[in-house]
């Protein structure tokens, strides 16, 4: 049975140009995603700076924006190359086999990354696997396939452009349409990271309030009574004792891995001051929570952040006592850190190295 072959003409140069744009979007998405992974699971050689305080807010915003931009670019790329998927023979040469194989792997991995990434951005997980490691692993597959594909197609950039037939969308028109679609997609979603665009970002949250990803009820944290103590080394601090210590106030953002971010004014005790009062030498600090279970019930604060004067055990937000959902009686807030590592309902600080 003969498989019908699309008759629409498409310029290899158009496909190559879109492929370059897609490569840039995927490259940005991959690098910023890799940074986010290393910040949360740092290898020994990795050190993430504390300044500027909104650095993670920027990198994760770029991660989500470039991922969103990649969606129309990927669809346009597929539109320009799909007639070649029906060509016969299936394999003409080794480069041709690499081209076709890389396209299939790239499409599969890319759609997985973009679809699961969009679900993650909306905190909706209709699958059984754990999102972060799967997303991380498939990202390497997608980037590898993309590099192979670009290497095979690079010689096309040196060949003359094909003449566009009359009555069809011009090469320039198609590229402008694709670029415009990518720009609109980014504009519609980037408001979660860029507050002044929130009013026009119809697909992002428009709330100016500080969001809550995990409530106290979901974390199994009930009302905290007067018996609560913060353990720092051998010292124990009551809430009243923490409130009596010198306080620092700073405006710091919470930037979530899902892409949204929001700034607030936090007041609390610098972690380095608490370590000094407890007679503990600064180092990497394990921060433990009252949360009963879950992979984010504790976090490790790198020594660089632990020594930073703006890394706080916050007692107030925007001048008010912390609500329970935001971590009462105290929570960690540090510059340039993912929201999942800004541990709430803190009960212990322990230097681990």
């Amino acid at each position: 049975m003969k498989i019908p072959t699309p008759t629409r003409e498409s310029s290899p140069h158009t496909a190559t140009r879109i492929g370059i744009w897609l490569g840039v979007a995927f490259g940005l998405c991959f690098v910023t995603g890799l940074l986010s992974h290393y910040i949360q699971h740092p290898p020994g050689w990795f050190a993430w700076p504390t300044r500027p305080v909104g650095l993670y807010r920027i990198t994760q915003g770029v991660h989500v924006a470039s991922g969103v931009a990649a969606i129309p670019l990927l669809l346009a790329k597929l539109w320009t190359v799909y007639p070649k998927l029906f060509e016969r023979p299936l394999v003409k040469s080794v480069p041709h086999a690499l081209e076709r194989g890389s396209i299939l792997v790239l499409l599969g991995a890319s759609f997985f990354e973009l679809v699961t990434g969009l679900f993650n951005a909306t905190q909706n997980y209709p699958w059984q696997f754990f999102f972060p490691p799967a997303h991380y692993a498939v990202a390497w597959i997608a980037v590898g396939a993309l590099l192979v594909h670009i290497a095979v197609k690079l010689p096309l950039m040196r060949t003359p452009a094909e003449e566009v037939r009359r009555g069809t969308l011009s090469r320039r028109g198609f590229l402008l349409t694709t670029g415009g679609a990518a720009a609109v997609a980014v504009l519609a979603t980037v408001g979660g990271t860029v507050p002044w665009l929130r009013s026009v970002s119809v697909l992002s949250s428009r709330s100016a309030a500080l969001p809550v990803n995990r409530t106290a009820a979901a974390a199994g944290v009930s009302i905290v009574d007067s018996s609560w103590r913060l353990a720092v080394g051998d010292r124990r601090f009551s809430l009243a004792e923490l409130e009596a210590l010198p306080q620092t106030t700073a405006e710091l953002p919470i930037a979530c891995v899902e892409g949204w971010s929001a700034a607030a004014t936090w007041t609390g005790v610098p972690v380095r001051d608490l370590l000094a009062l407890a007679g503990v030498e600064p180092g990497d600090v394990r921060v433990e929570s009252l949360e009963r279970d879950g992979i984010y019930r504790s976090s490790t604060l790198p020594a660089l952040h632990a020594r930073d004067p703006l890394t706080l055990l916050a007692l107030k937000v925007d001048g008010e006592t912390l609500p329970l959902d935001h971590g009462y009686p105290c929570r960690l807030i540090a510059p340039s850190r993912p929201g999942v590592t800004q541990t709430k309902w803190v009960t212990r600080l322990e230097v681990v190295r």
Side-chain angles (χ1 to χ4, degrees):
M1 178 178 177
K2 185 177 180 180
I3 299 176
T5 303
T7 58
R8 177 181 53 80
E9 295 287 341
S10 62
S11 167
H13 293 271
T14 303
T16 301
R17 180 64 60 85
I18 293 175
I20 293 173
W21 293 355
L22 183 61
V24 171
F26 264 39
L28 286 172
C29 195
F30 177 73
V31 170
T32 51
L34 197 62
L35 283 174
S36 182
H37 177 83
Y38 284 161
I39 293 168
Q40 296 175 65
H41 311 282
W45 52 266
F46 182 81
W48 183 246
T50 62
R51 297 291 186 278
V53 296
L55 181 58
Y56 183 77
R57 183 183 201 176
I58 295 170
T59 60
Q60 195 62 12
V62 170
H63 178 70
V64 174
S66 57
V68 170
I71 295 174
L73 293 176
L74 181 62
L75 293 175
K77 175 69 174 176
L78 181 59
W79 177 255
T80 60
V81 302
Y82 89 84
K84 294 184 176 295
L85 301 179
F86 297 90
E87 288 181 345
R88 294 294 186 272
L90 290 176
V91 176
K92 300 177 183 178
S93 62
V94 172
H96 185 250
L98 287 174
E99 177 191 356
R100 303 198 75 172
S102 65
I103 288 175
L104 291 175
V105 174
L106 176 60
L107 286 176
S110 299
F111 276 113
F112 176 88
E113 289 292 277
L114 297 177
V115 171
T116 57
L118 283 176
F119 274 106
N120 179 63
T122 60
Q123 300 181 44
N124 187 8
Y125 305 99
W127 51 71
Q128 298 300 316
F129 59 85
F130 186 42
F131 170 77
H135 197 69
Y136 175 73
V138 177
W140 283 102
I141 296 173
V143 168
L146 181 62
L147 291 176
V148 171
H149 184 68
I150 291 175
V152 173
K153 301 297 289 184
L154 200 58
L156 279 175
M157 298 177 64
R158 298 188 176 92
T159 60
E162 294 180 356
E163 182 179 353
V164 179
R165 295 183 176 183
R166 292 183 179 180
T168 64
L169 182 64
S170 69
R171 175 172 171 260
R172 176 175 294 180
F174 184 74
L175 291 174
L176 287 174
T177 300
T178 301
V184 169
V186 170
L187 188 62
T189 56
V190 78
T193 300
V194 186
W196 54 87
L197 292 178
R198 191 169 287 143
S199 61
V200 296
S201 292
V202 295
L203 299 181
S204 69
S205 171
R206 300 188 185 189
S207 173
L210 189 64
V212 175
N213 260 17
R214 186 165 174 82
T215 64
V221 178
S222 58
I223 297 175
V224 181
D225 59 28
S226 59
S227 65
W228 173 88
R229 294 292 185 272
L230 172 70
V232 185
D234 295 329
R235 287 286 302 271
R236 300 293 185 271
F237 296 89
S238 68
L239 180 57
E241 289 172 326
L242 290 176
E243 292 172 336
L245 293 173
Q247 305 287 301
T248 295
T249 297
E251 183 174 329
L252 297 170
I254 288 185
C256 191
V257 293
E258 285 92 359
W260 63 261
S261 61
T265 301
W266 306 89
T267 300
V269 184
V271 167
R272 68 176 189 178
D273 291 357
L274 288 169
L275 296 177
L277 286 171
V280 178
E281 290 293 329
D284 289 357
V285 178
R286 181 178 175 84
V287 184
E288 295 186 1
S289 170
L290 291 172
E291 187 173 352
R292 295 175 181 174
D293 53 30
I295 61 172
Y296 299 118
R297 68 168 302 276
S298 66
S299 65
T300 299
L301 186 67
L304 182 63
H305 283 76
R307 291 192 295 265
D308 193 285
L310 295 185
T311 297
L312 309 177
L313 253 293
L315 308 176
K316 294 183 178 181
V317 58
D318 293 332
E320 302 291 336
T321 299
L322 282 176
L324 187 60
D325 281 342
H326 278 300
Y328 177 86
C330 67
R331 69 167 297 161
L332 178 68
I333 183 73
S336 190
R337 292 264 288 170
V340 293
T341 64
Q342 308 278 38
T343 306
K344 298 192 285 188
W345 313 292
V346 175
T347 187
R348 176 181 292 274
L349 301 178
E350 179 183 0
V351 175
V352 292
R353 63 177 179 181

